[in-house]
Amino acid sequence: DVKVTQSSRYLVKRTGEKVFLECVQDMDHENMFWYRQDPGLGLRLIYFSYDVKMKEKGDIPEGYSVSREKKERFSLILESASTNQTSMYLCASSSRDRGKDSGRDTQYFGPGTRLTVL
Amino acid sequence: AQKVTQAQTEISVVEKEDVTLDCVYETRDTTYYLFWYKQPPSGELVFLIRRNSFDEQNEISGRYSWNFQKSTSSFNFTITASQVVDSAVYFCALSERNNFNKFYFGSGTKLNVKP
């Protein structure tokens, strides 16, 4: 079974703090993703990475950065947390499709981190 | 424009009722993939099904069934004889061949199954 773990289920931080959210997957997946989930807005992609040290901006990258130093680990960084970053953060991973059809590989999700910024 | 629309924000049913969750998508790609995920109160999104655009055959898995119709750009999900454990938020998602592993999620439908 694919296993994606996230470092914390619940996190409370103060405005201005630097926040690290960690995600680890054990399936040797090339792709990893960070989403945030807010009521009524569904899931929105923040960043994704298709290889070690590679990253691509998603739909809402402002205020976030990421790091992928090892294949199994993808970190989301809030350089200076703000109250509007209070949200549920979900990490996902998928294998890269080397066939002629890209985009078909299923994303497997971690349990999520509910972050509150006070 | 939204690529995936789940018009039903919340649905409530009584246990043992059948319920259908609607999903309408929009894409110009001829090759694409559709997914359904379940998010129980614990928060983790659980993968349910993936369908590719070349396979319109409906699928049944136990009490779950999926109806894919390209003519109406819909990929609806039916739960037969619903149970309380089916209570969750369900997301439909789309990925396109020309957009490397990017998923477009609908806004989700919250299903409440009452005993």
Side-chain angles (χ1 to χ4, degrees):
Chain A
D1 281 352
V2 176
K3 190 71 174 177
V4 180
T5 58
Q6 295 183 228
S7 49
S8 306
R9 291 300 303 270
Y10 300 92
L11 208 54
V12 179
K13 296 292 182 180
R14 296 207 172 272
T15 302
E17 280 193 70
K18 190 168 186 176
V19 181
F20 293 87
L21 303 183
E22 304 285 340
C23 175
V24 177
Q25 50 91 7
D26 66 358
M27 284 303 293
D28 201 36
H29 283 171
E30 293 86 359
N31 305 316
M32 296 188 75
F33 307 81
W34 275 107
Y35 293 88
R36 65 176 282 176
Q37 182 181 13
D38 301 287
L41 297 177
L43 277 77
R44 293 180 292 169
L45 182 65
I46 304 171
Y47 268 98
F48 70 95
S49 169
Y50 52 90
D51 206 343
V52 175
K53 297 190 185 295
M54 305 303 288
K55 61 184 179 184
E56 291 283 341
K57 292 181 179 179
D59 300 317
I60 52 165
E62 296 79 19
Y64 304 94
S65 62
V66 290
S67 171
R68 192 157 180 212
E69 297 297 319
K70 293 184 178 181
K71 190 175 186 179
E72 67 272 18
R73 187 179 299 268
F74 191 35
S75 302
L76 180 69
I77 303 156
L78 288 66
E79 293 288 341
S80 178
S82 62
T83 54
N84 62 13
Q85 292 178 310
T86 291
S87 186
M88 169 74 107
Y89 290 88
L90 292 161
C91 175
S93 72
S94 71
S95 66
R96 185 181 302 157
D97 181 6
R98 291 187 171 86
K100 63 179 181 179
D101 294 328
S102 70
R104 72 175 181 183
D105 282 326
T106 302
Q107 291 187 18
Y108 295 93
F109 285 82
T113 296
R114 191 168 293 281
L115 172 67
T116 301
V117 183
L118 302 175
Chain B
Q2 262 192 312
K3 282 186 174 283
V4 179
T5 300
Q6 294 180 255
Q8 304 150 309
T9 305
E10 189 165 352
I11 302 175
S12 292
V13 299
V14 177
E15 210 170 16
K16 297 184 183 177
E17 283 186 18
D18 298 348
V19 59
T20 295
L21 309 182
D22 297 332
C23 174
V24 174
Y25 63 92
E26 180 184 331
T27 181
R28 293 183 178 182
D29 270 349
T30 55
T31 302
Y32 53 90
Y33 301 90
L34 296 163
F35 302 79
W36 275 96
Y37 285 84
K38 174 183 180 180
Q39 187 178 39
S42 60
E44 181 172 352
L45 264 78
V46 177
F47 165 69
L48 296 178
I49 190 172
R50 179 187 74 203
R51 215 80 185 122
N52 75 56
S53 53
F54 299 113
D55 184 2
E56 284 192 76
Q57 195 171 15
N58 291 333
E59 180 152 341
I60 299 174
S61 176
R63 295 184 297 107
Y64 294 173
S65 62
W66 291 269
N67 181 5
F68 176 28
Q69 291 195 346
K70 288 176 77 170
S71 60
T72 55
S73 297
S74 64
F75 185 44
N76 296 337
F77 172 30
T78 297
I79 301 174
T80 303
S82 60
Q83 299 176 1
V84 173
V85 293
D86 295 327
S87 296
V89 180
Y90 291 86
F91 290 94
C92 180
L94 164 75
S95 71
E96 298 168 315
R97 181 181 187 277
N98 293 331
N99 210 340
F100 181 76
N101 270 309
K102 178 174 173 58
F103 276 33
Y104 297 92
F105 284 90
S107 53
T109 297
K110 184 176 182 181
L111 175 63
N112 303 306
V113 182
K114 302 175 182 178

